[in-house]
Amino acid sequence: KAGVTQTPRYLIKTRGQQVTLSCSPISGHRSVSWYQQTPGQGLQFLFEYFSETQRNKGNFPGRFSGRQFSNSRSEMNVSTLELGDSALYLCASSLTGTDYGYTFGSGTRLTVV
Amino acid sequence: TQLLEQSPQFLSIQEGENLTVYCNSSSVFSSLQWYRQEPGEGPVLLVTVVTGGEVKKLKRLTFQFGDARKDSSLHITAAQPGDTGLYLCAGVTDSWGKLQFGAGTQVVVTP
């Protein structure tokens, strides 16, 4: 079966702009989680969506937001980009968000200049 | 602050040698996962350990979950260059969709 698909793979944005990243989970998976990975902080949890509802949120500013559609595809948006937002953004899908089977996508590499 | 502490941070060994990576926490996790991540890719799940004292083997990789479910280790026997990567441990929390990751151990195996 197809894995988790994240688009785009690479993105370069200017400070102050906004960006939208997309994640298509494994078919049948209803939970999508988002993570930010940086060399200094490692993998940090952003938020989780299940059946179009945000159930959980990490400690990130309100500039980071997301949504999930009825087909379980999810998007995350970052507004007013800062240099420190440069990172690898990963999404992970699972059946319920409480099980053990998390599958990660290849990520979107965001560079803010 | 990382709830999960991994050691060492970096490990460079020759092909054929053995290595062990440790993952320690002051918190109890219901289960713990190990992932391997290669440059430019997302983490790939290797194993999930659930029961205290549990030992799981995946070919040359042996995973152990501490009796108190606060620590875990990954042992690789006769490492090969294909084992090169960033090894991450992650605690499964009670929060929906949230994994608590360690900082990772970068393993380099040279021929």
Side-chain angles (χ1 to χ4, degrees):
Chain A
K1 57 184 176 182
V4 178
T5 302
Q6 289 191 246
T7 57
R9 285 297 308 273
Y10 303 94
L11 211 46
I12 300 176
K13 290 287 187 179
T14 304
R15 240 179 342 172
Q17 287 187 314
Q18 75 167 13
V19 67
T20 299
L21 313 180
S22 178
C23 172
S24 293
I26 289 173
S27 177
H29 284 194
R30 296 167 66 189
S31 168
V32 175
S33 301
W34 288 88
Y35 290 82
Q36 180 196 66
Q37 186 176 28
T38 59
Q41 297 297 317
L43 275 139
Q44 301 287 318
F45 174 76
L46 281 157
F47 30 65
E48 186 258 7
Y49 286 86
F50 181 84
S51 293
E52 302 178 67
T53 300
Q54 185 185 87
R55 295 192 301 186
N56 203 358
K57 191 177 190 304
N59 297 322
F60 279 82
R63 299 186 297 107
F64 292 82
S65 63
R67 59 177 176 169
Q68 187 180 35
F69 301 94
S70 58
N71 62 357
S72 293
R73 188 177 73 85
S74 177
E75 289 181 346
M76 70 163 279
N77 183 278
V78 188
S79 62
T80 320
L81 284 165
E82 300 176 359
L83 295 178
D85 297 332
S86 294
L88 180 66
Y89 290 88
L90 295 158
C91 79
S93 81
S94 71
L95 280 169
T96 65
T98 58
D99 54 53
Y100 304 139
Y102 292 89
T103 303
F104 281 82
S106 297
T108 294
R109 170 72 64 185
L110 171 65
T111 303
V112 182
V113 297
Chain B
T1 303
Q2 297 282 0
L3 285 181
L4 283 167
E5 298 289 336
Q6 280 189 245
S7 62
Q9 287 184 298
F10 183 80
L11 206 50
S12 180
I13 60 172
Q14 299 277 0
E15 182 177 2
E17 293 182 335
N18 302 332
L19 69 97
T20 302
V21 177
Y22 298 94
C23 178
N24 295 294
S25 174
S26 57
S27 303
V28 175
F29 288 98
S30 58
S31 63
L32 202 138
Q33 301 182 334
W34 285 92
Y35 291 82
R36 182 171 69 208
Q37 184 179 23
E38 298 189 14
E41 297 296 327
V44 175
L45 179 65
L46 297 173
V47 77
T48 300
V49 285
V50 179
T51 306
E54 182 177 6
V55 177
K56 280 192 175 179
K57 292 192 175 183
L58 185 66
K59 297 183 181 177
R60 293 175 295 100
L61 278 61
T62 301
F63 304 86
Q64 187 162 5
F65 201 15
D67 291 339
R69 291 186 290 131
K70 291 184 177 181
D71 56 273
S72 181
S73 64
L74 156 61
H75 182 79
I76 302 179
T77 303
Q80 299 177 359
D83 295 324
T84 293
L86 179 67
Y87 288 83
L88 295 155
C89 65
V92 179
T93 71
D94 291 333
S95 294
W96 286 304
K98 180 178 179 180
L99 295 172
Q100 186 70 51
F101 280 90
T105 296
Q106 181 64 51
V107 171
V108 176
V109 183
T110 53

